[in-house]
Amino acid sequence: MINLVQNEMIKLVRKKRLLVVTIIMAVLISMFTYAQFRESERVQERLGTTDWRTTLQQQIIDIQNRLSGSQISDEWRKQLEIRVSQQQYYLDHDINPAEPGAPTFVRGFIENSIQLLLPLMIMIVAADLVSSEHSTGTVKILLTRPVQRWKILLSKYLTLVLSVSFLLLMFGILSYVISGIVFGFKGWNAPVLTGFTVEAGELNTAGTHLIPQWQYILMEFGLAWFVSLVVGTLSFMLSVLIRSTAAGMGVMLACLISGTILSSMVSSWESAKYLFMINLRMSDYLQGMAPPIEGMSLGFSLSVLAIWAAAALVISFVSFTKKDVY
Amino acid sequence: MKGKWVLFVTITSVFSCLLWMFGMGWALFDYFNCSAKSVAEAPAETVETDRNGIHIVALGDSLTRGTGDASGKGYVGYLMEDLEKRSDQKMQITNLGIKGQTSVQLAEQVKQQEVQRQIKLADTILITIGGNDLFRGGQTLAELDLQKVEGLKEEYSKNVDGILSSIRSQNTEANVFLIGLYNPFIDMEDANTTSQIVRDWNERSADISAKYPKAVFVPTFDLFQLKVEDYLYTDNFHPNSEGYQLIAERVAALLTW
């Protein structure tokens, strides 16, 4: 088995997929770092101060002003109200929600990319693990070996798990190093509040507690890893089912993008919460943001995603072992 | 060479895989086991901030916010531009105005810890309040019940008194400017009655601010008395850019420190 996995790893490295994805990430992270840098400069100029308390207070006031406008949807109003109470909580407890430094950037970046950017990167690797064997014709050579088919597929799946982990590590290292050049490398021990829950549209602070930022980031990456793995598994299934890599990627892309659009407008369509793409924003539960549909929680999203992934795995294996290859 | 690369990638992947699994486990553990460890409230006297430059805090309603001004600056923005031209000192403005805020809400706002800290640091405090208390989005005018207006005024007086005394207890040095109301309905019917009401209201504000040292009541009634339509935004209630500039000029003339 180890040899099979090793063999698959060699193929993956030869194809330079990991390298390409890493380079894409490096370029994007540089762009976001620059954008973030400009933004913080602008805020500083507008307020004439570097005091985070003043900045945070101003953010709260800005949101309150938006809330007092009449042309604002109920959904959005709820989201904003929760954000205000959370920021007020930070302010009242004298904790800076965005201690300047690279770790804070990493934290914000993983939160923003968990739904779309990261799954897309994973998809690039996962989508052609099996289907590329079809398109290059090597699948026949592979299957004529005296190894059972399920073992071959399992070795490919393990390779996927490994490359997901590898890419996420690259994602973390790159965003830390690149943003660190601009913002400085300190801030691992800055306190972060977690344990906010949203109940009936109100922020509940009963379970709130402080943890150091490095722990928070590790927890977020753990959840991001799970999300990436689920997305990878689904792409893997498509790669088994659909011979054309492009078609498989297209389907997955459509799902992921529809997820981001849907989560901003599904609150009245309750059964949409069983769709996997609505459940990708797992890090929001740590942060204490209102979920897109009432009643969603970390446990719920976790089970939904796990069920989707398990089903995808079963389908992949059944299909791969039964399929006629010609 | 290639083989080493593959080995390196594989081993790194395995270790990161274990790391992420651990992270995920920790996240779940932390999420489901959050025994309520309470987070300490911040001690009241914590923060030292640099006090260089001039610090202005603006409190109040949509006038402070700048509603109706095409450029969004409001009188506070124009005032700042003017001051920056006149003075070399570093200016810092904190605009805490919230649209639609009434005196009750402002009285609550000045009790917030961070707002109090801002007030403490301020050299000058600007307040616009009362417009929403009196006009209530035009409802008062529709009814025009003098008895009721009297009640609103008493309520307002109490709140403004509270606001000013709260500010003074935080900061005894800063100059406080309480900006008066104008009558946006001066062109409409019952102009005499509404103007009378606004004048009485302003008189009350002036009386209250007179009780506090270094508190100045700034009238704006006269600015909008003639040609009111030239200075009002299309909602016929908030000032437009020219209107805000008038207010800013008046306040700028009074500022000293």
Side-chain angles (χ1 to χ4, degrees):
Chain A
M1 196 69 215
I2 289 177
N3 286 336
L4 278 174
V5 174
Q6 187 72 7
N7 188 32
E8 288 297 328
M9 283 306 278
I10 291 173
K11 280 194 222 166
L12 200 62
V13 173
R14 286 265 165 83
K15 275 194 288 186
K16 298 205 168 63
R17 271 293 143 79
L18 296 179
L19 189 69
V20 169
V21 175
T22 310
I23 291 171
I24 296 177
M25 287 197 299
V27 172
L28 289 178
I29 290 167
S30 314
M31 274 165 52
F32 289 125
T33 305
Y34 182 68
Q36 177 82 37
F37 173 67
R38 290 298 296 266
E39 171 68 13
S40 55
E41 244 186 3
R42 195 185 63 85
V43 169
Q44 226 177 77
E45 198 177 304
R46 187 165 71 93
L47 299 178
T49 177
T50 50
D51 185 0
W52 66 265
R53 290 177 197 86
T54 310
T55 315
L56 188 58
Q57 177 72 65
Q58 205 68 69
Q59 280 170 3
I60 292 174
I61 296 283
D62 286 347
I63 297 179
Q64 281 174 336
N65 270 296
R66 270 199 272 167
L67 280 172
S68 67
S70 50
Q71 60 285 63
I72 173 172
S73 74
D74 280 354
E75 287 319 306
W76 188 225
R77 179 185 299 276
K78 241 182 234 167
Q79 289 274 358
L80 287 178
E81 272 167 2
I82 287 164
R83 202 183 302 168
V84 164
S85 8
Q86 205 174 30
Q87 287 180 333
Q88 191 66 51
Y89 192 85
Y90 267 96
L91 199 53
D92 290 345
H93 293 79
D94 203 30
I95 294 160
N96 188 350
E99 195 79 35
T104 304
F105 178 86
V106 175
R107 171 158 68 101
F109 195 44
I110 190 84
E111 277 158 13
N112 285 312
S113 48
I114 192 169
Q115 189 174 23
L116 192 59
L117 185 61
L118 202 56
L120 282 181
M121 301 285 131
I122 301 300
M123 191 189 79
I124 296 176
V125 175
D128 78 337
L129 269 180
V130 179
S131 56
S132 68
E133 303 271 5
H134 281 288
S135 48
T136 55
T138 45
V139 66
K140 286 175 202 161
I141 306 167
L142 195 65
L143 294 182
T144 51
R145 305 277 133 170
V147 186
Q148 277 163 305
R149 278 196 185 187
W150 67 267
K151 277 193 180 166
I152 292 178
L153 195 64
L154 184 61
S155 71
K156 281 186 179 293
Y157 188 70
L158 289 178
T159 312
L160 173 69
V161 176
L162 289 180
S163 44
V164 165
S165 313
F166 183 77
L167 287 178
L168 201 61
L169 184 72
M170 282 296 129
F171 186 87
I173 292 177
L174 282 174
S175 51
Y176 177 61
V177 170
I178 294 175
S179 65
I181 296 169
V182 178
F183 301 116
F185 294 95
K186 287 199 194 105
W188 284 109
N189 285 321
V192 178
L193 283 167
T194 183
F196 292 105
T197 46
V198 178
E199 273 162 25
E202 294 275 326
L203 188 74
N204 180 356
T205 56
T208 314
H209 52 280
L210 275 178
I211 55 174
Q213 185 151 251
W214 62 266
Q215 185 193 337
Y216 192 82
I217 290 174
L218 184 60
M219 281 165 30
E220 281 194 330
F221 269 77
L223 293 179
W225 176 76
F226 180 72
V227 168
S228 308
L229 201 60
V230 171
V231 172
T233 310
L234 291 169
S235 319
F236 185 75
M237 175 188 77
L238 290 174
S239 176
V240 172
L241 295 179
I242 306 174
R243 279 168 169 232
S244 146
T245 307
M249 273 201 188
V251 172
M252 204 59 208
L253 195 66
C255 289
L256 290 173
I257 292 178
S258 69
T260 56
I261 301 172
L262 274 177
S263 42
S264 62
M265 52 191 235
V266 283
S267 56
S268 44
W269 172 28
E270 212 187 308
S271 46
K273 64 183 178 186
Y274 298 108
L275 295 172
F276 80 92
M277 54 271 206
I278 305 289
N279 286 291
L280 296 181
R281 295 195 65 95
M282 297 262 279
S283 58
D284 282 5
Y285 298 118
L286 294 185
Q287 237 182 317
M289 304 257 277
I293 300 171
E294 201 128 339
M296 287 166 67
S297 68
L298 183 63
F300 176 82
S301 290
L302 196 73
S303 347
V304 169
L305 289 179
I307 291 169
W308 275 81
L313 265 186
V314 170
I315 293 172
S316 312
F317 274 88
V318 170
S319 156
F320 191 75
T321 44
K322 296 267 161 70
K323 195 148 78 176
D324 289 330
V325 177
Y326 43 85
Chain B
M1 200 52 221
K2 269 263 152 68
K4 272 189 187 162
W5 253 115
V6 175
L7 197 65
F8 169 74
V9 172
T10 312
I11 291 175
T12 328
S13 307
V14 172
F15 276 110
S16 53
C17 183
L18 294 174
L19 182 69
W20 303 142
M21 280 168 139
F22 172 69
M24 187 184 148
W26 204 353
L28 296 181
F29 178 79
D30 191 88
Y31 185 82
F32 291 111
N33 277 296
C34 50
S35 52
K37 298 160 247 174
S38 64
V39 184
E41 287 269 345
E45 292 290 330
T46 41
V47 259
E48 280 298 310
T49 321
D50 61 317
R51 296 208 51 163
N52 58 17
I54 293 159
H55 193 144
I56 299 175
V57 171
L59 299 166
D61 50 25
S62 48
L63 295 192
T64 301
R65 194 67 198 176
T67 310
D69 182 6
S71 61
K73 290 176 195 150
Y75 89 94
V76 180
Y78 292 119
L79 181 64
M80 282 301 286
E81 282 178 0
D82 188 47
L83 292 178
E84 267 162 5
K85 263 181 240 155
R86 285 200 321 205
S87 159
D88 297 335
Q89 271 181 289
K90 193 170 148 256
M91 297 279 171
Q92 186 192 325
I93 178 93
T94 310
N95 189 335
L96 302 177
I98 298 172
K99 275 189 281 182
Q101 184 148 267
T102 60
S103 58
V104 190
Q105 291 163 323
L106 182 59
E108 282 300 311
Q109 199 191 7
V110 294
K111 283 185 199 139
Q112 288 174 19
Q113 189 181 315
E114 172 60 20
V115 175
Q116 289 193 342
R117 192 182 70 97
Q118 294 290 348
I119 289 172
K120 224 175 268 175
L121 293 170
D123 299 296
T124 299
I125 296 165
L126 308 168
I127 306 171
T128 63
I129 198 70
N132 297 309
D133 294 52
L134 174 54
F135 297 120
R136 295 182 297 163
Q139 201 191 332
T140 307
L141 286 226
E143 297 166 3
L144 213 60
D145 177 350
L146 290 178
Q147 205 71 42
K148 204 162 191 180
V149 170
E150 202 58 33
L152 292 171
K153 192 161 79 178
E154 289 312 317
E155 186 75 11
Y156 164 80
S157 315
K158 204 180 71 203
N159 292 327
V160 169
D161 203 37
I163 293 164
L164 288 177
S165 74
S166 164
I167 290 174
R168 266 292 87 100
S169 69
Q170 297 297 324
N171 186 332
T172 50
E173 290 304 308
N175 297 323
V176 180
F177 295 91
L178 178 62
I179 291 160
L181 300 185
Y182 57 89
N183 183 6
F185 306 108
I186 205 163
D187 267 3
M188 300 190 184
E189 51 181 327
D190 295 327
N192 280 335
T193 326
T194 52
S195 289
Q196 184 60 45
I197 292 171
V198 175
R199 273 202 306 274
D200 287 350
W201 192 279
N202 281 335
E203 203 178 312
R204 177 64 66 90
S205 305
D207 284 348
I208 298 167
S209 43
K211 290 199 297 181
Y212 294 91
K214 292 189 183 178
V216 181
F217 175 77
V218 185
T220 58
F221 188 90
D222 51 338
L223 296 175
F224 293 84
Q225 198 167 356
L226 307 169
K227 286 202 149 195
V228 70
E229 74 274 21
D230 285 4
Y231 297 121
L232 287 189
Y233 180 57
T234 48
D235 64 359
N236 283 322
F237 186 67
H238 294 105
N240 59 16
S241 305
E242 283 78 30
Y244 276 119
Q245 261 155 0
L246 284 182
I247 302 176
E249 279 165 28
R250 172 148 295 175
V251 178
L254 302 172
L255 283 189
T256 50
W257 47 79

